[in-house]
Each structure stands twice: as structure tokens, then as C-alpha cells.
């Protein structure tokens, strides 16, 4: 076993390595590239939720399902897929800007990897600052004990990202609360009618759920909801 390990080490020492820029001489370049790529893939869901409109969309979809009274319809996979596609639609201008400012120069070898990250984060930060509330930004600026910047663009990402998430959660809950009201009215009307005629053994939700689904379908609710969400950005 030791002989096999020694032979493998000698064989690796005899092979030229490649660094991140594609030049020979760095044997640790390829393993570190694999580690960085795997780490990025692991953090990709968190990055997607923290820096895109997906938080607001998923919160609104959850409120809609609770308001309709359908516990598992649409399923989580369907709502996640719809939220992902709408996020891609909303973030497409930002992604195009990132590709022009960072990805293309990096592929051409004009800038390094760190420069590409700095350039690529600028459009994303601008997008998040557009929807982050000043109150939330001030909260994390005070919590981080950093000096107040001259302009919002000078804020670090560790301040902008959580502020943006708080603002998106607030917006999602506001839309969800407004969305809940008409369905709550249907529940109250059905409960009062069933109680007044003495139908105590039949739960009101059994009658109100089909009525709410029928009402949602008749007004083309998915189209109205998608249009309202797109107009909120």
C-alpha cells in the first residue's frame, strides 16, 4: 500500500500543473478550482434566495396557498419552479449587465478573477439597493459599527444583502396580507351562513374551499397575481 502511494506521488510530481490563468507550474491550481466550484454550487441556493426577488415571490405564493385552503396544491416544486422562472425573467437585465462587465472581459483574459467578482457584484448591488429600505440599511450599518458612507453604493455587501432580504420579506408579507382579505371574507360569509342554518356538524372550510378555488379561477387569479408581482418590481 505504501509503495502504491509513493508511486502515485512520484507520478504526480512528474506531471506539469496548470494555474488558474492556464499557465503551467502550479500543481495545486486544479484541485483548488474544484474546491471553489463545489463551494459555489453549495452556496448557490442561499445566494439565489438572498440576492434575487425569489424571497418575495415564494412568500406571496405561500400566502396564496394558505388563503385558498389547499394544503399541498400547488405543490412546493411547482411554486418553486414558477418562482425560479419569474426570478430569471426579472433578473435578466442584471445578468446581461454582469455578463458584459465581468464575464466577457474575464473570458478574454483582460481582467483577473477577483476583478471579475468586483465588477460583477456592482450591478447586483445596484439592483438590491433599489429595493432595500433606508431603514433596514441604517439598521445594519449601525449594527456593523462601520462609518456611515457618503452614498449607498459605498455600502459593503454584508450590509446590503440582509437589508435587501428584510425589505423583500416586508413587501412579500404586505402583498400576502392584501391577498388574504378577499378569501377571508368568503370564509366569514360561509361560516355565518352555515351557523345560521344550524349546520354545526359540517365544517365551513369544506364549503368555502371549493368556492374560493372557483372564485380564483373565474377572475383568472394566476394572471392577476403574476402581473401584480411583476409590477411591484
Amino acid at each position: 500500500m505504501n509503495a502504491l502511494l509513493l508511486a502515485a506521488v512520484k507520478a504526480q510530481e512528474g506531471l506539469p500543473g496548470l494555474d488558474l490563468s492556464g499557465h503551467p507550474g502550479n500543481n495545486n491550481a486544479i484541485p483548488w478550482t474544484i474546491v471553489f466550484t463545489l463551494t459555489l454550487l453549495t452556496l448557490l441556493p442561499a445566494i439565489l434566495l438572498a440576492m434575487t426577488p425569489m424571497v418575495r415571490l415564494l412568500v406571496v405564493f405561500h400566502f396564496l396557498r394558505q388563503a385558498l385552503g389547499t394544503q399541498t396544491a400547488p405543490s412546493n416544486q411547482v411554486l418553486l419552479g414558477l418562482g425560479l422562472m419569474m426570478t430569471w425573467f426579472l433578473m435578466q437585465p442584471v445578468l446581461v449587465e454582469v455578463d458584459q462587465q465581468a464575464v466577457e472581459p474575464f473570458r478574454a483574459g483582460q481582467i483577473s478573477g477577483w476583478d471579475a467578482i468586483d465588477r460583477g457584484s456592482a450591478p447586483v448591488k445596484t439592483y438590491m439597493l433599489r429595493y432595500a429600505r433606508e431603514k433596514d440599511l441604517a439598521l445594519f450599518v449601525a449594527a456593523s459599527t462601520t462609518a456611515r458612507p457618503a452614498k449607498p453604493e459605498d455600502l459593503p455587501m454584508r450590509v446590503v444583502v440582509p437589508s435587501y432580504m428584510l425589505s423583500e420579506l416586508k413587501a412579500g408579507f404586505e402583498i400576502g396580507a392584501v391577498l388574504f382579505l378577499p378569501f377571508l371574507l368568503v370564509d366569514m360569509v360561509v361560516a355565518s351562513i352555515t351557523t345560521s342554518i344550524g349546520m354545526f356538524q359540517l365544517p365551513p372550510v369544506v364549503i368555502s374551499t371549493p368556492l374560493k378555488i372557483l372564485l380564483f379561477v373565474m377572475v383568472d387569479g394566476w394572471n392577476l397575481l403574476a402581473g401584480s408581482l411583476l409590477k411591484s418590481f
Side-chain angles (χ1 to χ4, degrees), residues 68-70 73 183 208-219:
L68 286 173
T70 56
F183 299 105
S208 63
T209 299
L211 294 178
K212 289 187 292 185
I213 295 176
L214 181 62
L215 175 64
F216 187 74
V217 172
M218 289 180 60
V219 300

Side-chain angles (χ1 to χ4, degrees), residues 11-220:
Q12 185 178 3
E13 291 177 351
L15 293 176
L18 293 176
D19 59 7
L20 294 177
S21 60
H23 299 288
N26 187 2
N27 293 327
N28 296 325
I30 295 178
W32 276 112
T33 304
I34 296 175
V35 170
F36 178 78
T37 304
L38 293 178
T39 304
L40 184 61
L41 291 177
T42 305
L43 297 176
L44 187 60
I47 295 174
L48 186 64
L49 288 173
M51 305 173 70
T52 65
M54 200 167 184
V55 173
R56 184 189 303 189
L57 299 177
L58 292 181
V59 168
V60 173
F61 292 155
H62 175 75
F63 272 104
L64 173 63
R65 191 167 62 180
Q66 294 296 321
L68 286 173
T70 56
Q71 301 299 325
T72 58
S75 64
N76 292 330
Q77 291 81 1
V78 173
L79 296 181
L80 186 61
L82 178 60
L84 185 61
M85 293 299 102
M86 292 183 65
T87 300
W88 181 30
F89 176 81
L90 291 169
M91 292 294 293
Q92 187 175 7
V94 180
L95 296 178
V96 171
E97 192 173 355
V98 170
D99 182 71
Q100 294 176 352
Q101 294 185 9
V103 178
E104 290 298 333
F106 177 73
R107 288 178 178 175
Q110 300 174 357
I111 59 175
S112 63
W114 289 113
D115 292 335
I117 293 176
D118 292 336
R119 291 189 181 185
S121 62
V124 180
K125 181 189 292 187
T126 303
Y127 171 82
M128 290 189 292
L129 287 173
R130 188 185 309 164
Y131 300 103
R133 298 188 305 165
E134 185 177 353
K135 184 178 181 180
D136 295 328
L137 292 171
L139 171 65
F140 285 98
V141 168
S144 62
T145 64
T146 57
R148 189 178 183 88
K151 53 184 179 179
E153 289 76 12
D154 297 333
L155 289 170
M157 292 294 285
R158 64 189 180 96
V159 173
V160 177
V161 173
S163 303
Y164 171 76
M165 291 190 68
L166 285 184
S167 302
E168 287 296 285
L169 285 173
K170 183 179 184 299
F173 271 77
E174 288 178 348
I175 298 174
V178 175
L179 186 64
F180 225 104
L181 293 179
F183 299 105
L184 180 61
L185 181 61
V186 174
D187 287 331
M188 294 176 62
V189 171
V190 171
S192 62
I193 293 175
T194 55
T195 303
S196 62
I197 63 178
M199 299 177 60
F200 297 103
Q201 296 182 352
L202 182 65
V205 68
V206 177
I207 303 176
S208 63
T209 299
L211 294 178
K212 289 187 292 185
I213 295 176
L214 181 62
L215 175 64
F216 187 74
V217 172
M218 289 180 60
V219 300
D220 198 4

